[in-house]
Each structure stands twice: as C-alpha cells, then as structure tokens.
Amino acid sequence: MKGYKSVLIKDTTREEREEIVRRSLSCESGCENCSGCALGGGDPFKMYQPYIEGKEEIRDINRRFNASYGIH
C-alpha cells in the first residue's frame, strides 16, 4: 500500500513506536477525549509499554485488551 508505514517492531525504532502510541491515543491534548482509563486499561502508555520496548506487537496488546471485554 502506497504511503503506508509498517508499525511492526522490526520496522520501527523505539522513538517511532513512542510516537505511534502518542498519535494513536491523541495524548497531546490530554485525557479529555480518552476512554482508556474508564475501560480499565489504566494508563495507556503503561498498557503499550511492551510495544514501545519492542517486546510485544501492538496488535497482540490490542487483541488481549479486546478479549478481556469480549470484543472480537
């Protein structure tokens, strides 16, 4: 896909992964529009820390979170 940048750990640096998480969560503007804590996800940066550190793919973290709420 043209213009698509992979978010896989093997294709990104730690700094890029931090930016991916920050952009995805729209955390630049604070918590006003975020439901992560209300859904029991807690601090979204803690939730995605394994991805940022290069230990677990973001899709696997999302699958685990969704499964805990019966979302498929």
Side-chain angles (χ1 to χ4, degrees):
M1 292 177 7
K2 190 172 187 171
Y4 172 77
K5 169 116 171 67
S6 172
V7 297
L8 294 175
I9 291 168
K10 69 180 183 78
D11 298 327
T12 56
T13 65
R14 180 186 175 96
E15 291 76 21
E16 288 171 323
R17 291 190 296 273
E18 287 175 347
E19 180 62 21
I20 290 165
V21 170
R22 191 173 10 267
R23 271 186 298 131
S24 297
L25 298 173
S26 298
C27 289
E28 292 93 18
S29 61
C31 296
E32 296 84 36
N33 297 317
C34 180
S35 59
C37 295
L39 291 174
D43 180 342
F45 284 101
K46 284 185 183 176
M47 183 172 132
Y48 289 106
Q49 196 63 36
Y51 170 68
I52 292 170
E53 293 174 357
K55 296 178 181 176
E56 185 176 9
E57 294 293 353
I58 199 166
R59 68 175 174 254
D60 297 326
I61 295 169
N62 289 336
R63 274 191 203 132
R64 188 174 55 252
F65 179 81
N66 290 338
S68 70
Y69 289 95
I71 303 168
H72 300 283

